[in-house]
């Protein structure tokens, strides 16, 4: 399966002079990959994006209690890819199931909307965490 697609309007977020472009892979009907603003930063699942300097940080799972891991800065024309595993429990028809997935977040910070930025070039940096989270 591809790990990057062109950017479409809902995945472009205006952050002052720059625009944050996201390409999210993962999530399903039981678990959505949410992005929300928190104290002027954007949190997308396990990724924290600081709009002031464009830095990206990996948060890890909530139960890991480890410090933020700086991934770098997606500068104009370059982009970052963050890949990790996720697992979660679902109760259905009286049974509990563990569901596993790989999540891929592609992130670019640009002044102009470039819909094919993730297709035209490889990521400048790839971060992977395949320890299971929940």
């Amino acid at each position: 399966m591809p790990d990057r697609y062109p950017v479409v309007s809902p995945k472009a977020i205006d952050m002052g002079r720059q625009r944050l472009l996201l390409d999210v892979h993962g999530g399903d009907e039981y678990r959505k990959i949410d992005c929300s603003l928190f104290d002027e930063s954007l949190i997308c699942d396990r990724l924290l994006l600081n709009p002031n300097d464009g830095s990206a940080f990996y948060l890890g799972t909530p139960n890991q209690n480890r410090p933020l891991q700086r991934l770098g800065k997606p500068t104009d024309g370059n982009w970052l890819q963050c890949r990790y595993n996720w697992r979660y429990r679902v109760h259905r028809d009286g049974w509990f199931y563990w569901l596993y997935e790989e999540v891929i977040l592609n992130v670019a910070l640009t002044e102009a909307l470039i819909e094919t930025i993730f297709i035209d070039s490889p990521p400048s940096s790839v971060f992977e965490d395949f320890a299971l989270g929940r």
Side-chain angles (χ1 to χ4, degrees):
M1 291 183 58
D3 64 353
R4 47 193 146 142
Y5 288 102
V7 177
V8 291
S9 178
K11 294 181 185 172
I13 301 165
D14 285 323
M15 302 193 71
R17 289 188 0 247
Q18 296 186 316
R19 189 170 280 176
L20 179 71
L21 307 179
L22 292 170
D23 179 29
V24 179
H25 302 259
D28 59 18
E29 64 182 286
Y30 299 105
R31 190 181 91 80
K32 303 286 185 222
I33 306 280
D34 289 325
C35 294
S36 59
L37 287 172
F38 177 75
D39 204 22
E40 293 189 16
S41 294
L42 183 72
I43 297 177
C44 289
D45 208 37
R46 291 191 201 172
L47 200 63
L48 173 91
L49 300 152
N50 182 337
N52 297 323
D53 68 355
S55 297
F57 296 89
Y58 181 70
L59 302 172
T61 62
N63 59 350
Q64 283 178 325
N65 293 325
R66 66 181 192 188
L68 297 178
Q69 189 165 356
R70 189 171 194 273
L71 303 183
K73 277 187 197 180
T75 57
D76 210 18
N78 293 321
W79 57 280
L80 304 173
Q81 185 176 75
C82 183
R83 305 170 78 102
Y84 54 89
N85 281 341
W86 189 270
R87 78 174 174 186
Y88 51 99
R89 189 175 73 169
V90 173
H91 183 258
R92 187 177 195 185
D93 299 328
W95 294 89
F96 286 99
Y97 300 93
W98 281 105
L99 298 179
Y100 298 83
E101 70 178 345
E102 180 180 0
V103 176
I104 301 170
L105 300 174
N106 298 323
V107 181
L109 195 61
T110 67
E111 289 186 17
L113 175 61
I114 305 168
E115 291 181 355
T116 58
I117 191 167
F118 301 123
I119 305 297
D120 294 342
S121 63
S124 59
S125 171
V126 176
F127 173 80
E128 295 179 340
D129 179 7
F130 291 117
L132 286 175
R134 54 186 173 110

